[in-house]
Amino acid sequence: MKPKRHVPTSNKSDTGRPTFDSADIYELESVKNQVIEDRYKSDNTPFENKAYECMIAEIEEYQMQFVTSHYY
């Protein structure tokens, strides 16, 4: 008996819109605000501060992709 093969399935929707169309823009804003709060903790190391700054920039870029895609 042959073992069953796992066939990966796509998580893309059939609407033709990018996969990030399901992102909740308000949830992203909430996460970004939490990262901003964590960024200003007094006991952060310089490396942690830099990591928080990068995370904020990535979240903002993701939000921008979502908004512009939705606008198009």
Side-chain angles (χ1 to χ4, degrees):
M1 181 190 240
K2 285 186 170 183
K4 291 184 179 181
R5 288 181 40 192
H6 173 68
V7 179
T9 58
S10 173
N11 62 355
K12 289 179 83 175
S13 65
D14 292 334
T15 63
R17 293 164 68 181
T19 56
F20 56 79
D21 66 336
S22 64
D24 183 346
I25 196 76
Y26 300 106
E27 182 67 22
L28 286 172
E29 188 66 23
S30 175
V31 170
K32 183 177 80 172
N33 289 337
Q34 182 60 51
V35 174
I36 291 170
E37 283 183 33
D38 292 343
R39 161 65 179 88
Y40 289 104
K41 288 181 181 176
S42 61
D43 60 343
N44 287 344
T45 66
F47 180 79
E48 288 172 321
N49 287 336
K50 183 68 175 170
Y52 287 130
E53 290 171 15
C54 289
M55 289 171 60
I56 292 165
E58 285 185 29
I59 292 169
E60 288 175 345
E61 180 62 29
Y62 194 69
Q63 287 175 310
M64 190 59 66
Q65 288 175 354
F66 174 79
V67 170
T68 56
S69 173
H70 184 72
Y71 180 76
Y72 288 139

